[in-house]
Amino acid sequence: MPTVLITGAGRGLGLEFVKQYAAAGYRVFATARKPESARELVALQKQHANVSLHTLEVSEPASLSALVAQLSGEPIDILINNAGVMGPERQQLGSLDYDGMLQTLISNAIAPLRIAEALLENVAKSQRKLITAITSGMGSIADSSGGYYAYRASKAALNMNFRNLARDLAPRGITTIVINPGWVKTDMGGAGAKLSPAESIGGMRKVFDAVKLEDSGRFMNHDGGELTW
Ligand SMILES: NC(=O)c1ccc[n+]([C@@H]2O[C@H](COP(=O)([O-])OP(=O)(O)OC[C@H]3O[C@@H](n4cnc5c(N)ncnc54)[C@H](OP(=O)(O)O)[C@@H]3O)[C@@H](O)[C@H]2O)c1
């Protein structure tokens, strides 16, 4: 049975990843800050014996160490760094919230790298060997329309971290990509977004199935296309 680990699985895109991978017969390690309080996630776990819930606050190294100890020796075919934040209210020039920006960088750019590094041996012993992070088109430097300093900088930094990882991990046969989910109806994306979580996750799962080691280091879109850095 292939395995997948998802961060930020309590709601939004993370929850939809759990739903779809559980239905597809994967062994799912669903992580969240407080999994026991995530009502829909708990309900999914009750329906699917192949789903287990784990606590992970991605910005806390001690929380990650506890998870790594729990998962010792478990292969992870697909590692999905999904947890992320939009960042502080004040992201306009003239009123920037630098403490909030720093926290956003920790959650969105540094934590996924730390998680990938910490769970590297789990991925290396799997069949599929895929590490991915949910980035954003807003992290594209070439396409930036401005504003959202904290969020954009965090996703651009995430992209660079994963591009670096791709180079380091390719010799071990590990594929590393970042992927843009599109604009999706979640708490973050809002009700006016274009895609449903089901559509976005369905597209990203196809990309995860299709990518090969030669694709490592690419900035993919949920529809299989590619974005400019
Ligand atoms: N929705 C979109 O249109 C869109 C577009 C581009 C990129 N994205 C990216 O897609 C990913 C998922 O977004 P979403 O739309 O599902 O957002 P969301 O509805 O706001 O959900 C965010 C998830 O991340 C978790 N999270 C945040 N900080 C965390 C932390 N420090 N430790 C552990 N979990 C944490 C949240 O957990 P709690 O419930 O505990 O807060 C929640 O499960 C994010 O990386 C986001 O940047 C989304």
Side-chain angles (χ1 to χ4, degrees):
M1 190 187 280
T3 56
V4 60
L5 185 140
I6 300 147
T7 66
R11 59 191 168 98
L13 298 181
L15 182 67
E16 183 66 28
F17 269 126
V18 176
K19 213 177 270 178
Q20 293 198 17
Y21 276 117
Y26 277 67
R27 166 91 177 85
V28 182
F29 301 114
T31 78
R33 283 196 263 230
K34 289 190 177 154
E36 67 288 351
S37 317
R39 207 172 29 85
E40 288 181 78
L41 182 60
V42 170
L44 267 177
Q45 196 242 336
K46 284 187 179 143
Q47 283 164 32
H48 296 279
N50 49 332
V51 175
S52 58
L53 308 190
H54 306 266
T55 301
L56 179 62
E57 158 58 65
V58 299
S59 64
E60 280 180 12
S63 176
L64 178 58
S65 299
L67 178 76
V68 170
Q70 268 175 39
L71 297 181
S72 172
E74 295 273 6
I76 298 175
D77 287 280
I78 308 178
L79 169 56
I80 305 177
N81 285 283
N82 162 77
V85 289
M86 184 48 91
E89 284 288 311
R90 290 183 288 114
Q91 297 201 39
Q92 289 77 36
L93 194 63
S95 64
L96 288 168
D97 170 353
Y98 288 99
D99 288 340
M101 189 166 187
L102 195 56
Q103 196 50 52
T104 308
L105 285 165
I106 290 171
S107 296
N108 289 2
I110 295 172
L113 179 62
R114 195 195 287 273
I115 291 166
E117 189 181 28
L119 293 172
L120 189 54
E121 294 312 319
N122 300 73
V123 175
K125 73 184 294 192
S126 76
Q127 292 285 314
R128 183 69 183 89
K129 299 185 180 58
L130 175 63
I131 299 181
T132 179
I134 310 303
T135 185
S136 168
M138 290 174 75
S140 167
I141 291 172
D143 269 1
S144 177
S145 52
Y148 297 96
Y149 278 80
Y151 187 70
R152 286 188 192 280
S154 72
K155 292 297 188 180
L158 168 69
N159 289 354
M160 178 54 91
N161 279 339
F162 270 56
R163 180 94 169 165
N164 262 352
L165 256 188
R167 289 184 75 99
D168 280 340
L169 300 185
R172 296 192 67 180
I174 296 174
T175 305
T176 309
I177 60 159
V178 290
I179 188 161
N180 168 41
W183 185 23
V184 195
K185 292 181 181 66
T186 62
D187 292 339
M188 186 184 288
K194 286 190 177 154
L195 299 171
S196 67
E199 289 167 323
S200 169
I201 301 305
M204 289 195 282
R205 285 180 50 225
K206 279 190 195 147
V207 175
F208 297 164
D209 285 346
V211 286
K212 300 189 172 60
L213 192 54
E214 308 87 87
D215 299 309
S216 215
R218 289 177 69 190
F219 184 177
M220 303 296 297
N221 200 26
H222 64 94
D223 61 5
E226 193 160 5
L227 280 83
T228 48
W229 295 106

